[in-house]
Amino acid sequence: MEHTKLPRTAGVGFKPEHFGEIVSGHQPIGFFEVHAENYMGDGGPPHAQLTYIRENYALSLHGVGLSIGSMQDLDRAHLARLKRLCERYQPESFSEHLAWSSHDTVFLNDLLPLPYTNETLRRISAHVDQVQDTLGRRMLLENPATYLLFAESTIPETDFLAEISRRTGCGLLLDINNVFVSATNHGTEAAAYLAAFPLTAVGEIHLSGHAATEDEAGAPLLIDTHDCAVADPVWALYERVIAQTGPIASLIEWDDKIPAWPTLRGEALAAQAILDRARRAAAA
């Protein structure tokens, strides 16, 4: 079953800083991804640029403000804006995070974790159903980067995501940097997490950079910063996943300390080289 219409190639997050170089000639990029909340106005330069991107490349919309993991009802006004954006640009994919970011009328400007219980499973599955019914399309749900675990959790995160996918028919977005960050912070093995992940439901992969520091006890602490190149251990995990699954649409996320276009394009080409090796291996 196809979980997305994105090409099984490497893409990058679109940044306005790069628009001039992007329009100078066709770029070796399979698709661009934008944050949906940056385009919920009606016009102006952001939409002029996104129109060009949509006319020339495949497009992925990535939500950061739906708060789909919230225990309160989804914001219907936000969902309506998202529907209009999808109807306007007809993206090949829409995705959101397994996280929450609002409570009552307060928006917390962060992607926060939640306990994995049967109650939250029912609630989030209902939210995913509501999003898919409203948009008239399947969505992808992304695994989070986490810095704490809940004592109330009774379901492993991989099982939690697999069950949401089974109940709702949604696909999954596998963020491999998030896997590495969470595993390091919790003292677990990223490879073991990936071995348990429902890879057949994955429609897109995210790759990004992180910052390394220490917690108050001097233990390693990684922060999902999206402000630097993909780390070598994340590349290694990615290559192992792609060798197992075959090519999957793969995005380089770089949202802060934006690099020059050749640097971002180079990261995408590195991902494309891994996808190409997997494709050749499958054909041999």
Side-chain angles (χ1 to χ4, degrees), residues 1 3 128-129 132 138-141 161-162 164-172 201:
M1 180 182 294
H3 297 288
V128 171
D129 282 338
Q132 293 186 142
R138 294 159 61 86
M139 62 170 288
L140 304 178
L141 190 63
L161 285 161
I164 292 175
S165 178
R166 189 192 69 78
R167 292 187 184 190
T168 67
C170 79
L172 300 177

Side-chain angles (χ1 to χ4, degrees), residues 1-8 92-93 132 137-140 165 169-172 200-204 247-249:
M1 180 182 294
E2 291 289 336
H3 297 288
T4 176
K5 296 179 181 177
L6 288 174
R8 295 173 183 265
E92 276 78 7
S93 179
Q132 293 186 142
R137 61 169 61 225
R138 294 159 61 86
M139 62 170 288
L140 304 178
S165 178
C170 79
L172 300 177
T200 56
V202 175
E204 183 181 347
I248 293 176

Side-chain angles (χ1 to χ4, degrees), residues 85-159:
L85 191 61
C86 286
E87 290 174 341
R88 180 173 181 174
Y89 288 104
Q90 297 295 317
E92 276 78 7
S93 179
F94 169 71
S95 54
E96 249 290 354
H97 302 81
L98 178 61
W100 61 283
S101 57
S102 61
H103 182 68
D104 290 333
T105 59
V106 177
F107 184 71
L108 300 169
N109 199 31
D110 208 342
L111 296 170
L112 300 168
L114 60 152
Y116 301 133
T117 66
N118 286 321
E119 181 184 5
T120 54
L121 181 60
R122 285 192 296 272
R123 187 70 170 177
I124 296 170
S125 295
H127 284 171
V128 171
D129 282 338
Q130 183 182 359
V131 172
Q132 293 186 142
D133 289 347
T134 301
L135 300 185
R137 61 169 61 225
R138 294 159 61 86
M139 62 170 288
L140 304 178
L141 190 63
E142 178 180 341
N143 60 293
T146 57
Y147 308 92
L148 56 83
L149 299 173
F150 288 86
E152 295 88 346
S153 290
T154 58
I155 306 172
E157 185 174 279
T158 50
D159 292 354

Side-chain angles (χ1 to χ4, degrees), residues 36-57:
E37 284 73 11
N38 290 338
Y39 296 90
M40 288 186 168
D42 291 330
H47 281 287
Q49 293 178 349
L50 187 55
T51 297
Y52 174 87
I53 293 294
R54 184 67 192 100
E55 290 174 348
N56 292 277
Y57 299 91

Side-chain angles (χ1 to χ4, degrees), residues 143-149 157 175-194 210 219-224 233-234 237:
N143 60 293
T146 57
Y147 308 92
L148 56 83
L149 299 173
E157 185 174 279
D175 189 313
I176 296 181
N177 183 62
N178 286 356
V179 172
F180 185 72
V181 166
S182 296
T184 301
N185 292 342
H186 304 317
T188 58
E189 292 293 331
Y193 180 98
L194 291 170
H210 58 254
L221 176 65
L222 302 186
I223 308 296
D224 182 34
V234 175
L237 291 169

Side-chain angles (χ1 to χ4, degrees), residues 27-44:
Q27 304 298 321
I29 301 298
F31 66 99
F32 284 91
E33 184 165 284
V34 297
H35 288 172
E37 284 73 11
N38 290 338
Y39 296 90
M40 288 186 168
D42 291 330

Side-chain angles (χ1 to χ4, degrees), residues 13-22 34 38-39 45-46 49 258:
F14 169 66
K15 300 301 174 192
E17 293 90 333
H18 299 144
F19 186 68
E21 288 167 288
I22 291 171
V34 297
N38 290 338
Y39 296 90
Q49 293 178 349
I258 305 298

